[in-house]
Amino acid sequence: MNKGSDGKTSQKMASQAYGQKMAKTANMKVVEGSYAVAHAVMCCLPDVISAYPITPQTHIVEHLSQMVADGELDSEFLTVDSEFSALSVLVGSSACGARCYSSTTSQGLALMYEVLYNVSGMRLPVVMNVANRAMGAPLNIWNDQQDAIGARDVGWLQIYAEDVQESVDATLQAYKIAEDSDIRLPIMVCMDGFILTHVYEPVELLDKDLAREFLPPYRPEYILDPKHPKTFGAFADPSTYTEFRYQQFEAQEKALDKIEKVAVEFEEVFGRYYGGLLDSYHAEDAEVVIVTLGSVIGTIKDAIDALRSEGKKVGLIKVRSYRPFPVKALRKSLKDASVIAVLEKDVSIGSEAGLLTDLKAALYNSQIRTPVIGFTAGLGGRDITIKDIRRLVDKAEAARKGIESEFEFLTLRKEIL
Amino acid sequence: MEIKAGRLVDPCSSQITKTGAWRTFVPVVDHKKCIKCSLCEIYCPEGCIHQEEGLFIPDLDYCKGCSVCAHECPQRAIIMILEEK
């Protein structure tokens, strides 16, 4: 089952299947990332869309609004006064049995914070694209992942996409995972703001009929219905509250298998596979393994190609599912590394950074005693270049002889401090 | 008692879910002093004081011990006593 940690084979299989499928279904278009995702949402046939515009998410909901206005999509599109209202509307709609969609970023996600817990606590399978962006202050509209990583504990699943195609495909997969009767949890599909939302690249837009075949209609067991009254998210005192949290925890654990399963089912219909929980690139024989999330993977792959041609054994593990955190899959795919370097676009001010601490926690009780070092980079939209990755690899190689610094800001401009 | 994911409950769940457990002080009514003005019933934020056979009685399954009834009683017929178990 653990296809994600066996990257080479799965990539080969996927590319073969992709090749066969392309001949039949290719609908490749050069479109903006936001349009591609909006198109994917349209194919999921949401009953209710509720969102508040915020850069760099705006284009996604703008496109959806246009689709509804043009009659291409039969959804209730609600314009609201804030992100807090946007998600609150979906609490009610989803409890009524509607398939619901929203999208936000950064300060908008922060404003939703209270409702994020309500959605997951009431077990409502809302899907939301997060166009990852830096948090203020200082005010900054560019990409990093502090927003979603900061919301890692709210009970939502979090999938991080590498490119536009994966953002599209993960959005469709997300509904299938979220609405499964064993899971019933909301999902954030995270895509890097601007880098993925505003880029124009060739994308195979989803086929509506295939999407319908892949994703069954949403039929929840219980809904809000005046004829059969129910209350969602009612009061729970100390004698039962723990058990509700446990149920959510259990559902996230079940999602580990479900994410893999849905990724495989997706491949059967659409011919594309990105790994379920993880994916890898030249990780099998790698001495230096970089672990990361999101769109920076493209740059890292190029850097790895260059480093490999120079004889350096560098590989990559891509964390696709950050919540649930794939502890077993990570242990399996990192067991042979000589040194592990985590690169992420977030920082936990006062500690290290989300992925780094989670990964170290995952390895601590295993037999793996590989040095792990972490780097934050790309904050507030600063570019991460191939040169930066080379520096990271140099530092990682040095750490094999002894760790000098467990965590650092990779591209810090010391001269302006 | 089985719980349903998402804290899903049927109507009138508050009749099953008792909420008096976090009280520290308990109101005690001196019915001889009471003039039946019903201010305690009106002011009780929990709505848990009701007349039973002519007497105003707090429902201790829901009373949080907030003392509003004692504060509002013009006859000082309600006193709050530390509840020890």
Side-chain angles (χ1 to χ4, degrees):
Chain A
M1 190 63 200
N2 204 337
K3 236 176 161 178
S5 57
D6 187 19
K8 221 172 198 175
T9 337
S10 66
Q11 270 173 7
K12 208 172 159 192
M13 279 168 58
S15 65
Q16 278 170 0
Y18 190 45
Q20 289 160 6
K21 206 85 189 176
M22 280 286 285
K24 280 186 283 178
T25 64
N27 183 21
M28 297 294 280
K29 287 212 165 84
V30 176
V31 292
E32 191 201 29
S34 292
Y35 175 79
V37 166
H39 184 275
V41 173
M42 180 182 75
C43 294
C44 298
L45 303 172
D47 300 298
V48 179
I49 302 166
S50 173
Y52 190 82
I54 176 168
T55 302
Q57 154 267 29
T58 310
H59 290 185
I60 299 174
V61 282
E62 237 172 45
H63 286 304
L64 283 166
S65 167
Q66 190 70 52
M67 288 167 187
V68 173
D70 291 346
E72 274 181 81
L73 172 60
D74 183 18
S75 294
E76 192 77 40
F77 189 99
L78 288 138
T79 49
V80 286
D81 68 335
S82 70
E83 285 85 359
F84 183 88
S85 302
L87 195 55
S88 296
V89 160
L90 297 188
V91 170
S93 311
S94 184
C96 287
R99 179 173 286 162
C100 294
Y101 176 81
S102 191
S103 178
T104 192
T105 176
S106 182
Q107 314 299 114
L109 185 67
L111 191 53
M112 285 179 175
Y113 203 73
E114 177 185 335
V115 197
L116 293 175
Y117 275 97
N118 282 330
V119 174
S120 61
M122 292 189 209
R123 309 294 298 273
L124 303 171
V126 172
V127 171
M128 180 159 78
N129 284 112
V130 178
N132 296 106
R133 167 187 142 182
M135 294 294 303
L139 176 61
N140 178 298
I141 58 161
W142 289 270
N143 161 246
D144 69 30
Q145 292 167 345
Q146 292 181 79
D147 52 0
I149 299 285
R152 68 181 180 177
D153 296 335
V154 299
W156 288 52
L157 280 72
Q158 289 193 355
I159 306 284
Y160 286 79
E162 176 185 339
D163 55 27
V164 174
Q165 187 70 64
E166 189 179 352
S167 309
V168 164
D169 298 349
T171 302
L172 175 60
Q173 291 176 17
Y175 277 105
K176 194 157 189 177
I177 299 161
E179 291 172 0
D180 186 275
S181 59
D182 284 340
I183 312 294
R184 286 202 285 149
L185 284 173
I187 303 189
M188 294 181 202
V189 178
C190 301
M191 58 191 293
D192 284 327
F194 290 114
I195 299 173
L196 298 184
T197 55
H198 285 55
V199 72
Y200 277 72
E201 63 181 22
V203 180
E204 186 177 342
L205 295 173
L206 294 178
D207 180 274
K208 275 188 206 171
D209 296 328
L210 282 180
R212 213 163 302 170
E213 184 188 311
F214 176 77
L215 179 67
Y218 178 43
R219 298 267 181 270
E221 194 180 352
Y222 300 103
I223 57 166
L224 281 184
D225 174 5
K227 284 182 194 144
H228 307 282
K230 293 267 179 212
T231 301
F232 282 69
F235 171 82
D237 68 14
S239 71
T240 56
Y241 183 90
T242 305
E243 284 65 30
F244 288 105
R245 279 290 174 271
Y246 176 77
Q247 285 180 331
Q248 284 174 262
F249 198 88
E250 228 185 1
Q252 285 258 358
E253 301 240 295
K254 284 182 188 165
L256 289 166
D257 285 340
K258 190 69 193 172
I259 291 168
E260 287 281 5
K261 203 170 150 235
V262 169
V264 172
E265 285 168 12
F266 183 89
E267 185 187 8
E268 282 161 11
V269 179
F270 294 93
R272 291 186 293 276
Y273 180 78
Y274 307 89
L277 302 166
L278 304 175
D279 200 6
S280 64
Y281 188 70
H282 291 303
E284 297 76 18
D285 64 337
E287 287 163 4
V288 178
V289 177
I290 303 170
V291 181
T292 194
L293 318 144
S295 67
V296 71
I297 285 163
T299 310
I300 297 177
K301 282 179 175 171
D302 280 352
I304 288 174
D305 289 346
L307 288 160
R308 285 258 163 189
S309 70
E310 294 160 21
K312 286 191 180 173
K313 287 189 169 175
V314 183
L316 167 84
I317 295 293
K318 154 179 159 183
V319 176
R320 205 170 160 261
S321 164
Y322 180 57
R323 285 290 178 276
F325 196 64
V327 172
K328 279 185 194 161
L330 279 165
R331 284 179 181 173
K332 198 178 160 198
S333 44
L334 290 169
K335 65 180 190 322
D336 298 325
S338 307
V339 60
I340 299 163
V342 180
L343 175 64
E344 57 196 303
K345 295 180 179 179
D346 64 278
V347 56
S348 175
I349 305 159
S351 178
E352 295 174 333
L355 181 60
L356 176 63
T357 42
D358 283 334
L359 179 68
K360 286 202 283 194
L363 299 183
Y364 190 80
N365 285 330
S366 71
Q367 300 305 312
I368 301 167
R369 282 293 163 263
T370 312
V372 181
I373 52 169
F375 300 91
T376 183
L379 297 183
R382 182 168 296 172
D383 281 341
I384 301 174
T385 63
I386 290 179
K387 215 170 133 193
D388 297 328
I389 305 300
R390 281 178 173 274
R391 278 183 49 233
L392 177 147
V393 171
D394 288 344
K395 281 171 185 281
E397 278 179 338
R400 289 170 72 175
K401 295 178 196 103
I403 296 174
E404 261 181 51
S405 160
E406 282 188 57
F407 175 70
E408 62 179 286
F409 286 64
L410 183 64
T411 54
L412 192 66
R413 293 179 60 199
K414 290 190 182 120
E415 74 280 8
I416 60 169
L417 284 170
Chain B
M1 181 191 62
E2 204 184 315
I3 58 167
K4 275 196 188 124
R7 193 38 162 170
L8 192 71
V9 293
D10 290 321
C12 308
S13 65
S14 59
Q15 290 179 3
I16 305 161
T17 312
K18 312 291 188 198
T19 56
W22 59 67
R23 182 175 58 235
T24 305
F25 293 95
V26 63
V28 176
V29 186
D30 183 344
H31 296 294
K32 283 181 196 143
K33 284 190 189 170
C34 174
I35 55 166
K36 314 273 192 294
C37 68
S38 83
L39 282 179
C40 57
E41 182 180 11
I42 292 165
Y43 275 98
C44 174
E46 280 292 316
C48 73
I49 301 182
H50 302 292
Q51 245 182 325
E52 285 174 32
E53 294 171 4
L55 305 175
F56 286 88
I57 313 276
D59 184 343
L60 297 185
D61 281 344
Y62 300 98
C63 171
K64 309 292 185 294
C66 72
S67 312
V68 167
C69 55
H71 182 82
E72 295 297 334
C73 178
Q75 293 297 103
R76 305 209 168 181
I78 305 176
I79 52 165
M80 302 301 296
I81 293 174
L82 183 67
E83 189 176 37
E84 289 174 291
K85 282 169 192 163

